[in-house]
Amino acid sequence: MNAVLPILLAVALVLLLAFLLVRARRRIGRLRAALNSASLELQQVQMAFHRFAPRRVVEEIIRQGISIHGERQEVSIMFVDIVGFTKLAERMEAEQLVEVLNGYFECMSLAISQHRGYVSKFIGDGLMALFGTPHSNRWHALDAVWAALAMRAALKDYNASLESRNLDPLEIGIGIHCGPVVAGVIGNQQLMEFTVIGDAVNTAARIEAQTRFHQVDILISQAIRQQLDEKFRVRELPPITVKGKREALTLFTVESYADRP
Amino acid sequence: MGSLAEIDWCDTPLVAPTPNTEVEREIRNHLGFPLNSIAYLVPVPWVAWTLATNMQQVAHISGRLTDLITLIVSMENSCRHCYGATRSILRLTGYSEKRISQLEEDLYQSELDERTLTALSFARKCARSDPRPDASDLAGLAGAGYSREAIAEVAYVATNACYSNRLATILAIPPNDIEQLEKNPLSRLLRPLVRVLLEKFITRAQRKNVSKFQPRAAQPGTPRLGGKLIDALHGSPTAPMLECILEECWQSPHLSRRTKALTFVVVAQALNCPVCTTEGRQLMELEGWRRDDIDHLLRYLSSDQLTPFEARFIHFARDTVNYKVPDIQYTARRFVAGLKKEEIIEICGLVALANWVARLSIILEQSR
């Protein structure tokens, strides 16, 4: 009896140790799986964020938090809006309106990205696109105007498809200006976006609003005009004073381009 | 940038492979083993040889660092072909899955030493070139203990990876066979043996590279493509390699020299490289361009001197500077429709080489 007890105790101890070891291994396995899953999720979030901001900006945010500084850059800014959208919205069913708008945004976004532009935000029925950021591009003004011409052509095709469904065609106004801006991630913990701020942005928005007054679809500023060659057929419009600007702006409408880029 | 499985890669290569050619046999003999990617490139020998001999014969940095640089740059460029191949080489030569994953997840959280991290961070900046690295980055490398020659080699390896990545990505070359070898259970079992064999093959190929790429006598006063770069790499075995590659590209008959000079200038401008722009402009002048026409072209990306093909090509060349993989593969398909296989391969090689040279020119900042 005296000899059996220590053996039993030893066996029990071994069994207990084995049980603890198995439990610890299972726990480590679960923790590792959770860690891998979290890491994968983080990678996916990082990848998704790369689409909205430059990689180096995303990496700085991950390393230092969101309080990062913006960068001063020279960019071209494009504002696009649908002319007479309110009336159009009144004539259409909500579902149909959403479908028409989605198709329109898809055409416009494609024309913009094919000319190295970046759709920064959708504002109701309009959008703001940037050329020259997130990736630097010395020919940003040229690309912006080529994109505008491509958007005009894309809208013509899209309108043909709308008319075949007995829907009213869309008309747009595009305003383009270039100048120095501060580009960076702006917002708070809840809502952040990579965007640009500066006087050039406001001017581009004002130029777009003038398309209705001049009844043209593409308007560019003098600063953009200076970066175009003679292959662009442009027409100068009478100077106009816009809100927030003391001096009158000379604007140009772009009619065509001699070669297709 | 994402993990290997997340890379969106076109399943159909841009050109069909051309198997069993004399060039392919020569390359196989040179390397000691076959490379599946070569069959997609052999119609233009200089492009095939440049990819086949990218196991750099470096003298001032370690082979391990060159592998890590290639991994980081290929991951940065999301090149399914090169990233997968480099990953497999690292696994076969002794790197654990855990260490590679750490590198992939966050370079700065990995267990690498500060000196290696500085080099990898610089390599990544070379790959992005947005903005391109500057003198402060070079000073950072010097501060970490890299010699002038070692810095040039770090840049060379990083930008050479940019070449391979662009070539494989635009052509959508399928994953390298070495990935299958690494996944094969038998080769996993015999990993130490595979490692010895692989290292032996690589060393042998590197030795052969030295005899294949002999320094050439430059003709004084004649503009040379990448002339300043080759001078800056003097003392490194990479100098004759780059010189030979540039010369063979220049002599290759599938695209005109005029188109080649134009490509180098446009890519150099897009990457803000003044030295390459100047060299390219000199070559354009030799091909009959007037200075005013070059100025107009570089300012407005248009010129009456451009052929319809060149007018389209300059925009494609620009697209290869910064891209997303599916976009550039789609753009390439639209652009090359109707062109001959040799022209397509040379176009891809040319834009990749122009990107390589313009990015590598950062080492000239050391000479100033």
Side-chain angles (χ1 to χ4, degrees):
Chain A
M1 188 67 186
N2 281 351
V4 174
L5 194 64
I7 293 169
L8 280 175
L9 277 173
V11 170
L13 196 66
V14 168
L15 284 173
L16 182 69
L17 280 174
F19 170 73
L20 289 174
L21 196 70
V22 168
R23 209 171 70 159
R25 284 193 66 173
R26 275 191 194 157
R27 214 169 150 191
I28 290 170
R30 277 199 299 271
L31 280 172
R32 192 174 289 155
L35 204 64
N36 285 343
S37 157
S39 164
L40 196 69
E41 268 179 43
L42 200 65
Q43 266 188 45
Q44 282 166 349
V45 169
Q46 202 173 330
M47 271 186 64
F49 202 15
H50 280 153
R51 281 185 226 129
F52 304 104
R55 283 175 192 169
R56 63 195 147 82
V57 174
V58 176
E59 281 160 11
E60 276 180 63
I61 291 171
I62 290 167
R63 224 174 308 287
Q64 300 166 10
I66 59 162
S67 59
I68 60 157
H69 300 290
E71 283 175 15
R72 213 164 272 282
Q73 290 177 354
E74 180 82 19
V75 302
S76 288
I77 308 114
M78 171 194 278
F79 276 89
V80 190
D81 223 350
I82 296 178
V83 179
F85 178 73
T86 315
K87 280 184 188 166
L88 189 80
E90 282 166 5
R91 286 200 299 272
M92 274 190 200
E93 292 295 324
E95 273 181 25
Q96 198 175 41
L97 183 68
V98 170
E99 191 202 323
V100 168
L101 267 184
N102 283 343
Y104 155 77
F105 278 133
E106 201 178 322
C107 293
M108 298 300 105
S109 303
L110 186 66
I112 290 165
S113 64
Q114 280 179 345
H115 292 86
R116 302 158 198 91
Y118 161 74
V119 177
S120 170
K121 59 178 108 184
F122 294 105
I123 316 152
D125 59 308
L127 64 86
M128 179 174 98
L130 305 171
F131 296 80
T133 194
H135 297 302
S136 57
N137 169 9
R138 65 168 59 229
W139 297 289
H140 54 82
L142 282 165
D143 279 331
V145 181
W146 279 324
L149 291 168
M151 289 159 79
R152 177 192 278 163
L155 186 69
K156 197 175 163 194
D157 292 344
Y158 187 59
N159 277 340
S161 78
L162 290 179
E163 280 173 39
S164 69
R165 292 159 57 197
N166 291 323
L167 293 170
D168 289 337
L170 302 178
E171 276 181 58
I172 56 170
I174 302 173
I176 311 170
H177 180 53
C178 62
V181 295
V182 174
V185 175
I186 292 161
N188 55 27
Q189 292 283 359
Q190 281 74 40
L191 187 65
M192 276 193 286
E193 62 173 347
F194 177 79
T195 192
V196 293
I197 46 174
D199 182 53
V201 182
N202 304 332
T203 306
R206 304 264 185 262
I207 292 172
E208 186 276 315
Q210 292 302 312
T211 55
R212 285 142 182 81
F213 177 79
H214 288 292
Q215 299 201 324
V216 292
D217 59 349
I218 304 173
L219 271 184
I220 59 170
S221 64
Q222 177 89 44
I224 292 281
R225 169 72 188 97
Q226 282 167 353
Q227 297 191 48
L228 308 181
D229 68 350
E230 68 285 355
K231 288 195 174 179
F232 287 90
R233 216 174 121 202
V234 297
R235 180 162 52 87
E236 188 173 338
L237 300 169
I240 193 156
T241 312
V242 297
K243 196 177 155 191
K245 291 270 160 203
R246 259 180 265 161
E247 285 178 24
L249 287 179
T250 302
L251 301 177
F252 301 82
T253 181
V254 184
E255 293 178 340
S256 60
Y257 182 67
D259 292 338
R260 199 187 158 91
Chain B
M1 185 174 67
S3 67
L4 199 56
E6 287 163 342
I7 295 174
D8 205 352
W9 194 258
C10 184
D11 291 333
T12 318
L14 192 60
V15 291
T18 313
N20 304 319
T21 58
E22 186 58 35
V23 177
E24 194 184 10
R25 272 191 291 280
E26 275 176 32
I27 291 175
R28 198 187 310 142
N29 287 338
H30 182 91
L31 297 174
F33 54 88
L35 264 184
N36 64 325
S37 48
I38 297 306
Y40 296 92
L41 310 172
V42 282
V44 184
W46 77 264
V47 179
W49 273 104
T50 306
L51 191 77
T53 51
N54 70 352
M55 283 163 277
Q56 293 92 359
Q57 178 74 9
V58 284
H60 304 278
I61 56 173
S62 69
R64 180 54 91 204
L65 181 58
T66 64
D67 287 342
L68 290 176
I69 291 172
T70 310
L71 180 83
I72 290 298
V73 172
S74 303
M75 197 170 92
E76 187 63 36
N77 286 326
S78 297
C79 177
R80 175 68 188 79
H81 180 87
C82 305
Y83 179 19
T86 317
R87 213 178 184 285
S88 295
I89 289 171
L90 282 171
R91 288 287 287 124
L92 286 168
T93 55
Y95 249 64
S96 71
E97 185 62 38
K98 189 183 157 203
R99 287 192 78 185
I100 297 174
S101 299
Q102 277 180 342
L103 269 173
E104 289 171 339
E105 279 166 26
D106 189 348
L107 193 59
Y108 298 98
Q109 298 297 318
S110 62
E111 292 162 2
L112 294 170
D113 59 276
E114 200 56 40
R115 193 167 181 267
T116 308
L117 280 176
T118 309
L120 293 182
S121 174
F122 174 77
R124 197 160 66 171
K125 209 161 181 188
C126 287
R128 289 181 187 170
S129 288
D130 188 24
R132 78 197 274 267
D134 55 25
S136 67
D137 297 299
L138 296 169
L141 280 172
Y146 288 95
S147 67
R148 188 186 177 82
E149 292 80 10
I151 292 172
E153 287 190 348
V154 168
Y156 183 93
V157 174
T159 52
N160 173 259
C162 290
Y163 168 86
S164 307
N165 294 165
R166 274 169 178 75
L167 189 63
T169 302
I170 300 169
L171 285 166
I173 298 176
N176 195 301
D177 287 343
I178 203 161
E179 286 187 48
Q180 292 307 318
L181 179 72
E182 190 256 312
K183 283 175 193 146
N184 188 310
L186 190 65
S187 73
R188 282 189 174 190
L189 199 69
L190 302 172
R191 188 157 284 172
L193 181 67
V194 174
R195 179 181 173 174
V196 170
L197 281 173
L198 193 67
E199 281 173 354
K200 204 175 162 191
F201 277 129
I202 291 173
T203 313
R204 180 173 165 264
Q206 285 175 335
R207 249 199 333 267
K208 283 190 164 186
N209 282 350
V210 175
S211 55
K212 180 172 166 57
F213 300 106
Q214 292 290 329
R216 295 165 186 218
Q219 291 171 350
T222 315
R224 284 191 295 168
L225 200 55
K228 287 200 170 73
L229 275 179
I230 294 156
D231 293 343
L233 287 166
H234 182 72
S236 165
T238 55
M241 277 185 86
L242 182 63
E243 187 177 17
C244 187
I245 290 162
L246 286 166
E247 183 59 25
E248 284 176 11
C249 164
W250 194 243
Q251 300 296 345
S252 183
H254 308 295
L255 294 175
S256 70
R257 289 183 177 182
R258 195 188 128 89
T259 304
K260 287 171 191 163
L262 182 67
T263 310
F264 279 97
V265 171
V266 170
V267 171
Q269 265 301 85
L271 281 163
N272 292 318
C273 172
V275 176
C276 295
T277 304
T278 308
E279 282 187 348
R281 285 181 69 117
Q282 287 171 347
L283 291 170
M284 282 179 80
E285 284 176 33
L286 283 179
E287 294 305 311
W289 280 80
R290 289 187 315 125
R291 280 187 188 181
D292 290 350
D293 289 332
I294 301 174
D295 288 339
H296 188 278
L297 170 77
L298 293 183
R299 180 153 185 212
Y300 301 112
L301 286 174
S302 78
S303 166
D304 293 335
Q305 308 303 313
L306 290 173
T307 64
F309 167 75
E310 287 168 344
R312 288 173 58 227
F313 186 38
I314 54 171
H315 291 285
F316 176 66
R318 284 179 65 203
D319 283 330
T320 64
V321 172
N322 276 308
Y323 57 81
K324 290 195 182 82
V325 171
D327 295 348
I328 194 68
Q329 289 180 337
Y330 171 72
T331 307
R333 261 147 236 269
R334 280 203 321 174
F335 173 66
V336 305
L339 296 178
K340 285 187 221 154
K341 194 191 247 188
E342 290 80 5
E343 289 169 335
I344 296 171
I345 297 167
E346 187 143 289
I347 283 168
C348 297
L350 180 62
V351 291
L353 185 57
N355 271 281
W356 177 6
V357 169
R359 283 161 207 268
L360 179 57
S361 68
I362 179 59
I363 61 170
L364 299 173
E365 301 280 333
Q366 290 198 105
S367 316
R368 289 181 186 172

